[in-house]
Amino acid sequence: MGTGGAYASRVATGRVTPTRALDVLNVLLSDVRYGLGAYLGVYLLTEHQWDAGEIGLALSIGGLAGLLAQAPIGLLVDAIRAKRALIAGAVLVVMACCLVIPLAPSFWPVTLAGVVGGLAGTSIAPTLAAISLGIVGPERFARRACRNEALFHAGNGAINLLILATAPFFGTPVLFWVMAGTGLASAAAALAIPPRSIDHAVARGLLPGAANVAPRQGWHLLTGSRPLLTFALCGALFHMANGSMLALVAQKLALQNIGWGVALTAICAIAAQVVMVPAATLAGARAESWGRRPLLLAAFLALALRGLLYTAFDHPAWLIGVQLLDGVGAGLIGALFPVVIADLTRGSGHFAAAQGVVGTVHGLGGVVSGALSGLIVVWAGYDAAFLALAATAGLGAALFWLTMPETRPLPLEKEFAHDHSAA
């Protein structure tokens, strides 16, 4: 029986609700998946007097560790069936790494925590996508992946509202209290997904009912597919432009508004999440009718415009308002990343491995972004860094439109997949 049929029969009896369990997990992961994010830079800048260059270097080392691990972790996710336990363990490690930072807020302990947390956090996104694919099947995956992203951003917005409401009274420790609570809850939610609801063959990218496939070296996936390589390189430019933009805005606001760094960072994050939820929802509703390509181009253009507008005025209201454009760019590309990978690897059995390989190239852009933008700030100021990031996004938009094909499956491919699902 194919995934869709098996899932429908279980749901009809009322015994399990795997998609509801996925919904809860996506909301709770919003505070754990990327650790402390921009808050860490503000915390180190305002509480321990680090400069932008030190912050960028420390975060980049941790990011590089996670980057190098993505391809082998993807191969691991394809190979193992204990995907629920993998997510639960990963979020607990990320949580622990964040909680030790206040105990030793100097360069090397923070960097080591970032390395360990980066290695664990790298496994969360591909494992979640694989579980989702294994539950709903390839035909419904685009809508499910975009729903995952929308719920993730909704949860992120709620967490940031909580931080905004409590930080003025409790200060920066609230960041670590919230991390502890969401980390434990995320682990419990991952283990609450009914194990029998996951078709593990479909979860690795095979068509329902297809035979297993032999292992394949991760980087051969990239070099053997021109569309996958194009998506990887264009995405690297997107993340090179986007990776440090929120952190730079948060730092600029913190320096201009002493004592309000955490609260203003929360407001910036909330502003983006307000738009990310409808952006991801739009992607889920229109990815099949409009295709993936125009939605992804809109993400690049929104990012380039955002970088330019940051240089126009320094008023906090303006900077926070411009942050709304982050919701368009990050919301669309975050929702469609696993969808495009699933399109390009359908039937291969290497879905998570391809996510890892492409994610490595994308992550390289993010690592370069953190280190390079920090140095530009030290040498030439924040406006120069924003202009450099905007130019990078513009270059990515041009290359994407000129070289990236549409990946939406053709009707014949959909019919083929449906026939195999029903077999």
Side-chain angles (χ1 to χ4, degrees):
M1 182 182 290
T3 302
Y7 168 75
S9 66
R10 290 193 295 270
V11 170
T13 64
R15 291 198 295 268
V16 295
T17 54
T19 58
R20 294 302 181 196
L22 270 178
D23 288 348
V24 173
L25 177 60
N26 277 283
V27 171
L28 291 171
L29 279 175
S30 60
D31 192 45
V32 187
R33 185 165 155 187
Y34 300 120
L36 293 171
Y39 289 114
L40 179 57
V42 172
Y43 172 74
L44 296 172
L45 182 74
T46 59
E47 299 290 329
H48 300 286
Q49 290 72 55
W50 288 37
D51 66 35
E54 288 178 314
I55 293 169
L57 180 59
L59 298 185
S60 294
I61 292 173
L64 181 61
L67 167 71
L68 296 176
Q70 286 195 62
I73 284 176
L75 292 170
L76 173 67
V77 173
D78 278 333
I80 69 171
R81 299 172 64 89
K83 294 178 173 62
R84 302 177 313 132
L86 181 58
I87 284 190
V91 298
L92 292 176
V93 171
V94 172
M95 177 192 74
C97 289
C98 292
L99 295 182
V100 302
I101 289 174
L103 303 179
S106 54
F107 182 82
W108 286 114
V110 170
T111 301
L112 179 60
V115 169
V116 177
L119 292 173
T122 293
S123 68
I124 293 175
T127 309
L128 181 63
I131 290 173
S132 300
L133 180 60
I135 289 175
V136 305
E139 288 299 292
R140 297 163 55 202
F141 180 65
R143 187 172 291 272
R144 178 69 244 183
C146 293
R147 180 177 176 83
N148 286 352
E149 192 72 6
L151 289 168
F152 171 79
H153 292 306
N156 199 294
I159 292 296
N160 281 286
L161 280 171
L162 176 62
I163 292 172
L164 177 62
T166 55
F169 303 100
F170 301 105
T172 53
V174 74
L175 299 175
F176 304 98
W177 299 341
V178 173
M179 175 65 67
T182 55
L184 294 172
S186 295
L191 296 176
I193 296 173
R196 296 184 63 185
S197 67
I198 305 169
D199 185 321
H200 290 282
V202 173
R204 63 181 300 180
L206 292 170
L207 295 175
N212 208 342
V213 294
R216 187 178 180 186
Q217 290 185 356
W219 289 98
H220 289 174
L221 296 168
L222 191 64
T223 57
S225 171
R226 182 173 178 179
L228 206 61
L229 181 61
T230 300
F231 184 58
L233 295 177
C234 291
L237 289 173
F238 180 94
H239 289 285
M240 188 183 299
N242 185 66
S244 60
M245 208 173 278
L246 173 58
L248 292 183
V249 174
Q251 292 171 30
K252 189 172 183 179
L253 287 168
L255 291 172
Q256 293 174 351
N257 303 270
I258 304 300
W260 287 88
V262 171
L264 288 171
T265 302
I267 293 172
C268 283
I270 292 166
Q273 305 306 323
V274 166
V275 181
M276 285 180 188
V277 174
T281 303
L282 174 67
R286 297 301 180 190
E288 297 297 337
S289 57
W290 294 357
R292 288 52 158 154
R293 193 165 174 256
L295 292 166
L296 288 169
L297 179 64
F300 278 95
L301 296 177
L303 178 59
L305 179 61
R306 177 178 158 218
L308 290 174
L309 292 178
Y310 278 140
T311 66
F313 301 102
D314 287 337
H315 194 279
W318 174 262
L319 296 176
I320 293 169
V322 173
Q323 182 62 17
L324 292 170
L325 288 171
D326 185 23
V328 178
L332 290 175
I333 204 163
L336 292 172
F337 172 80
V339 177
V340 172
I341 300 297
D343 292 342
L344 296 175
T345 59
R346 179 173 290 198
S348 73
H350 300 294
F351 173 51
Q355 287 184 81
V357 172
V358 175
T360 298
V361 181
H362 286 193
L364 180 60
V367 170
V368 171
S369 180
L372 184 60
S373 63
L375 292 174
I376 293 175
V377 169
V378 172
W379 292 339
Y382 284 96
D383 283 355
F386 287 132
L387 289 174
L389 297 176
T392 303
L395 175 62
L399 289 177
F400 178 84
W401 189 249
L402 292 173
T403 61
M404 184 68 193
E406 176 57 58
T407 66
R408 175 182 52 185
L410 298 174
L412 183 61
E413 291 175 293
K414 292 183 179 181
E415 182 179 349
F416 175 80
H418 176 74
D419 290 345
H420 277 70
S421 177

